Amino acid sequence: MLQTEFAFSLPRGYVDSDGNLHRDGVMRLATALDEIAPTKDPRVQSNPNYLVIILLSRVITRLGSVEQINPKIVEGIFATDMAFLQDFYRRINEDGTGNIKTVCPKCGHEYEVEDNNLGEV
């Protein structure tokens, strides 16, 4: 069965307007529409860097107890967490897994490591 949702934990966490910290979340695989639709958004047309904000707001399905993920929420995520989320997005959509590919420094054998502490610093 194809896994379409992947759990993550942000390195720093999102702090909401009430001061609550949200670190654990879920991201789903992106669809073609998820990647195409934001290009029509006026915010992206005036600033192409905004594409990642809209894209992540579409594919993050849960972040702590935040009820609805939208661009405003993603705008409030710390830069460290944005970098993490962009890398996580790339891994699950290109590799189909949240695992990290690595190479043994002694023998050169390539393998994947299940990252149970995603986002932990």
Side-chain angles (χ1 to χ4, degrees):
M1 187 164 165
L2 177 66
Q3 181 178 359
T4 60
E5 292 191 328
F6 300 83
F8 63 83
S9 182
L10 296 174
R12 297 215 186 278
Y14 168 71
V15 180
D16 66 22
S17 59
D18 295 325
N20 299 312
L21 181 66
H22 307 273
R23 292 189 66 212
D24 297 327
V26 175
M27 183 182 293
R28 67 171 173 78
L29 290 176
T31 65
L33 183 60
D34 290 324
E35 293 199 347
I36 293 169
T39 62
K40 296 178 182 176
D41 189 291
R43 295 168 292 189
V44 174
Q45 292 175 348
S46 66
N47 180 0
N49 293 323
Y50 201 78
L51 179 109
V52 70
I53 301 293
I54 295 177
L55 182 57
L56 288 174
S57 72
R58 293 176 65 99
V59 298
I60 297 171
T61 60
R62 186 179 64 76
L63 183 57
S65 62
V66 176
E67 292 189 18
Q68 184 175 356
I69 309 302
N70 57 49
K72 188 75 172 164
I73 299 295
V74 178
E75 287 174 0
I77 292 175
F78 295 114
T80 302
D81 293 331
M82 282 297 294
F84 168 82
L85 288 169
Q86 289 177 64
D87 180 61
F88 190 70
Y89 175 91
R90 182 196 55 73
R91 278 193 278 145
I92 68 170
N93 284 286
E94 290 178 11
D95 302 336
T97 178
N99 294 347
I100 298 172
K101 292 182 180 180
T102 189
V103 177
C104 175
K106 292 185 179 184
C107 70
H109 176 72
E110 295 182 12
Y111 59 98
E112 289 186 9
V113 176
E114 184 176 347
D115 193 348
N116 294 325
N117 297 313
L118 292 175
E120 295 292 323
V121 254

